[in-house]
Amino acid sequence: MTTLKPKKHQQIELFLADEVEISTIRDEIASMEHPFFALKAGDTRVREYKNGKTTVTIKPTADGIATIFDKDIWIYAISKLQQAINNGETVDRKIYFTPYDFFITTNRDKGGRSYKELEKTLSRLSGTRIKTNIKYSESKQETIEFGLIDSWRILEEKKGKLDIGMVEVVLPNWLFEALKKKQILKISIDYFRIRKAIDRRIYEIARKHCGNQYDCEISLQKLHLKTGSTASKAEFKRSIKKLSKENNLPDYEVIFNNEREVITFKNRNPNIDEAEKMENFKRGKYRISRIKNIINKS
């Protein structure tokens, strides 16, 4: 079985109900770096994640924590708002869309079951609570708690240009601030074709850490932590081996060194100029580190 789903709507370009065309898909950086979303449905435990000075506590709804597939609403909303900003429009935290547009953009089926699942997705997003000290302000450090969306509703009557059945979502201020401060990254449209939750999560981490570099490395232990996976180390290792064997994630090759237990993400189509800048930057950091070590030992 391949990692990627087939394209369900190849003949239809990305578009939105308000006629703002999405030209690129965007994801929010902190949620790419840290595991805000569960990899399995029905996870009803309070989960705590710590990495350095960063802490994230995820509190579930009765139906469980919002999943990495529920996150498609976040990605869709961010992409829609960023495109509007690019077009010189004023935006706020409230967005509208039709389920049909959402299904088309995120490569989902358009059947009745998808409509029912959309309501469950919106409920999990509004019910899941995140408490974190991740900051988007340089002036202060604070701990903040928010829902993954503030509220949602499906319109039961026509209002102005908004048709019956349109979805209204109010994003949390924390996410809207991330958008305004450009704490987002372009991701591949093929992200929505990734079948497995763990593979989606690994793509996010590769995109966040590798970026425009030729490649980057991460230890198996660190990657396990960052994914938020509840699988044992042995199970997680098997997943990585399988992913590296299939090796068809968008944008990045996955190379696993079994002896060192290190994963290398290799950029499939690097921007040579940007990649060289990053190489020079890394070499400069390495030289500075060596000089500091020599001074400390003297």
Side-chain angles (χ1 to χ4, degrees):
M1 183 179 291
T2 60
T3 302
L4 299 183
K5 298 177 183 177
K7 291 181 180 179
K8 295 181 183 297
H9 316 291
Q10 296 184 48
Q11 76 282 11
I12 302 176
E13 296 297 325
L14 297 181
F15 65 95
L16 298 167
D18 60 3
E19 299 182 352
V20 176
E21 185 178 339
I22 295 180
S23 59
T24 56
I25 303 299
R26 310 277 174 163
D27 202 349
E28 187 277 328
I29 287 177
S31 64
M32 297 171 77
E33 172 78 11
H34 309 294
F36 284 19
F37 295 84
L39 299 182
K40 292 182 179 180
D43 189 343
T44 57
R45 297 169 298 167
V46 174
R47 298 178 61 184
E48 294 187 354
Y49 164 87
K50 293 182 179 180
N51 186 12
K53 295 182 180 180
T54 299
T55 62
V56 179
T57 302
I58 306 104
K59 300 177 183 178
T61 69
D63 295 325
I65 296 170
T67 71
I68 194 79
F69 294 101
D70 296 336
K71 189 185 181 183
D72 287 358
I73 293 283
W74 260 34
I75 296 172
Y76 177 84
I78 293 167
S79 303
K80 177 174 181 176
L81 290 176
Q82 184 60 56
Q83 189 62 50
I85 291 170
N86 293 345
N87 292 343
E89 300 176 25
T90 301
V91 299
D92 60 28
R93 296 191 294 131
K94 187 180 293 184
I95 68 166
Y96 296 91
F97 59 90
T98 66
Y100 179 83
D101 290 342
F102 173 70
F103 299 149
I104 292 292
T105 302
T106 56
N107 202 51
R108 296 178 180 226
D109 292 322
K110 306 186 297 294
R113 181 178 177 183
S114 292
Y115 284 82
K116 292 179 181 178
E117 288 301 319
L118 177 59
E119 288 196 23
K120 293 179 182 178
T121 287
L122 292 165
S123 291
R124 284 191 294 268
L125 287 168
S126 63
T128 300
R129 304 289 297 178
I130 302 292
K131 183 168 73 173
T132 182
N133 63 351
I134 296 171
K135 62 178 182 177
Y136 283 132
S137 170
E138 295 302 322
S139 61
K140 60 183 177 179
Q141 175 76 51
E142 61 183 7
T143 297
I144 187 170
E145 182 172 303
F146 57 91
L148 291 171
I149 58 175
D150 273 8
S151 64
W152 66 273
R153 62 175 175 156
I154 297 176
L155 302 182
E156 301 296 338
E157 60 184 47
K158 189 174 178 65
K159 294 187 177 182
K161 294 182 179 180
L162 302 178
D163 294 327
I164 296 171
M166 288 194 76
V167 180
E168 175 192 273
V169 171
V170 180
L171 300 177
N173 189 61
W174 185 91
L175 180 59
F176 193 62
E177 285 297 310
L179 175 68
K180 289 197 297 183
K181 295 181 184 298
K182 302 186 185 302
Q183 297 297 312
I184 57 176
L185 285 176
K186 178 182 175 182
I187 63 172
S188 171
I189 183 60
D190 285 334
Y191 170 85
F192 296 122
R193 296 175 58 209
I194 301 175
R195 293 175 181 274
K196 299 178 184 176
I198 186 63
D199 294 354
R200 282 192 171 206
R201 183 73 189 109
I202 288 170
Y203 170 82
E204 286 190 318
I205 294 167
R207 176 67 185 93
K208 167 64 174 62
H209 286 276
C210 196
N212 291 320
Q213 299 176 75
Y214 288 119
D215 55 40
C216 66
E217 287 187 350
I218 186 170
S219 70
L220 183 70
Q221 181 178 358
K222 187 79 167 195
L223 185 61
H224 192 190
L225 172 67
K226 282 184 173 292
T227 61
S229 173
T230 57
S232 67
K233 180 182 176 181
E235 290 173 322
F236 183 73
K237 188 174 182 178
R238 282 194 291 271
S239 295
I240 296 298
K241 284 183 176 180
K242 186 170 188 205
L243 179 59
S244 66
K245 184 177 180 180
E246 292 175 344
N247 211 5
N248 59 354
L249 278 190
D251 299 336
Y252 301 98
E253 292 181 47
V254 180
I255 303 166
F256 181 53
N257 186 312
N258 190 50
E259 292 183 4
R260 294 175 57 213
E261 293 197 331
V262 167
I263 296 92
T264 299
F265 298 120
K266 186 175 180 181
N267 202 325
R268 295 183 188 276
N269 298 292
N271 180 311
I272 302 300
D273 290 339
E274 292 297 323
E276 285 300 321
K277 286 180 185 177
M278 290 304 301
E279 286 297 309
N280 291 333
F281 177 73
K282 287 193 293 184
R283 284 193 287 267
K285 285 184 67 176
Y286 175 70
R287 285 195 293 268
I288 291 171
S289 177
R290 286 192 63 189
I291 291 170
K292 285 182 177 180
N293 287 335
I294 292 170
I295 292 173
N296 290 334
K297 289 179 181 179
S298 62

